[in-house]
């Protein structure tokens, strides 16, 4: 589904409670960040409005998820998936976000087929590896040797759903609409 969107970025849920002494206690409610996007404009032709209505109805509002490309964050390059130990054959695609000494690892579950390259100690793996594009699992036919660093380059989509069961399309002028 093509069109413009607004990326509101990563969201976290943190509860902050002030103590009687003026200190704060923080509780991180979600283990991973969530994203939020608004498909706010870009409906310039009746065919685009028709496509959006069909897409929304096919997913029955928020009932069924779909893959979405967040154009502000859709690639991983030289991402370390792990280190071989001689018996581990399966690695999860992840994207690492580093800031200072803190690294936030994001699980990548929806890599884009045809964009994924896997490396063992920087050497391209051309056979003996499969990638599940519905889970992001990388499976080797023979385990990487102990100490071998497994990395990946890839593009990815984000698993999303609509956040509403009601569609309100506004036709602003002839063949120009917003949702």
């Amino acid at each position: 589904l093509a069109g413009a969107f607004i990326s509101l970025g990563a969201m976290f849920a943190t509860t902050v409670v002030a103590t009687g002494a003026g200190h704060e206690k923080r509780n991180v409610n979600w283990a991973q960040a969530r994203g939020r996007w608004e498909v706010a404009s870009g409906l310039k032709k009746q065919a685009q409005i028709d496509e959006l209505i069909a897409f929304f109805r096919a997913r029955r509002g928020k009932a069924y998820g779909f893959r979405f490309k967040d154009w502000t964050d859709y690639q991983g390059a030289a991402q370390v998936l792990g280190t071989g130990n001689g018996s581990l054959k399966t690695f999860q695609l992840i994207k690492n976000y580093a800031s200072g000494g803190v690294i936030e690892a994001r699980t990548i579950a929806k890599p884009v087929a045809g964009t994924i390259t896997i490396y063992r100690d920087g050497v391209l793996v051309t056979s003996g590896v499969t990638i599940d594009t519905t889970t992001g699992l990388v499976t080797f036919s023979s385990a990487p040797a102990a100490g071998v660093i497994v990395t990946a380059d890839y593009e990815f989509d984000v698993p999303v759903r609509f956040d509403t069961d009601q569609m309100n399309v506004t036709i602003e002028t002839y063949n120009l609409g917003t949702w």
Side-chain angles (χ1 to χ4, degrees):
L1 185 65
F5 74 91
I6 298 171
S7 178
L8 302 177
M11 298 185 322
F12 295 92
T14 307
T15 304
V16 179
V17 178
T19 67
H23 299 286
E24 290 183 346
K25 293 285 187 178
R26 296 180 192 95
N27 183 51
V28 177
N29 300 322
W30 299 339
Q32 295 280 322
R34 292 184 184 177
R36 182 176 176 93
W37 300 268
E38 290 185 12
V39 181
S41 61
L43 303 175
K44 296 181 179 23
K45 300 177 184 171
Q46 184 62 44
Q48 292 172 316
I49 295 169
D50 294 344
E51 181 183 4
L52 178 59
I53 291 169
F55 189 79
F56 183 81
R57 291 181 67 98
R59 272 118 200 112
R60 302 181 64 85
K62 57 185 169 182
Y64 300 105
F66 54 95
R67 295 171 76 119
F68 178 79
K69 181 165 300 287
D70 175 1
W71 289 100
T72 65
D73 185 11
Y74 68 97
Q75 297 173 311
Q79 295 297 302
V80 176
L81 308 185
T83 303
N85 63 7
S87 62
L88 182 64
K89 291 183 177 183
T90 303
F91 295 81
Q92 176 69 53
L93 283 177
I94 59 172
K95 182 170 182 184
N96 295 297
Y97 298 85
S99 176
V102 178
I103 297 176
E104 171 74 14
R106 175 184 183 182
T107 299
I108 302 300
K110 303 295 182 206
V112 176
T115 68
I116 310 149
T117 51
I118 305 296
Y119 302 87
R120 289 184 183 182
D121 279 343
V123 178
L124 178 65
V125 177
T126 58
S127 64
V129 65
T130 58
I131 299 126
D132 187 330
T133 58
T134 63
T135 64
L137 290 176
V138 176
T139 305
F140 291 94
S141 57
S142 62
V148 171
I149 298 173
V150 177
T151 58
D153 300 332
Y154 51 81
E155 290 185 10
F156 63 95
D157 293 327
V158 181
V160 299
R161 64 167 171 79
F162 288 109
D163 72 347
T164 184
D165 281 329
Q166 181 176 346
M167 180 177 223
N168 295 316
V169 175
T170 302
I171 305 300
E172 294 175 356
T173 62
Y174 180 74
N175 280 342
L176 178 62
T178 61
W179 178 28

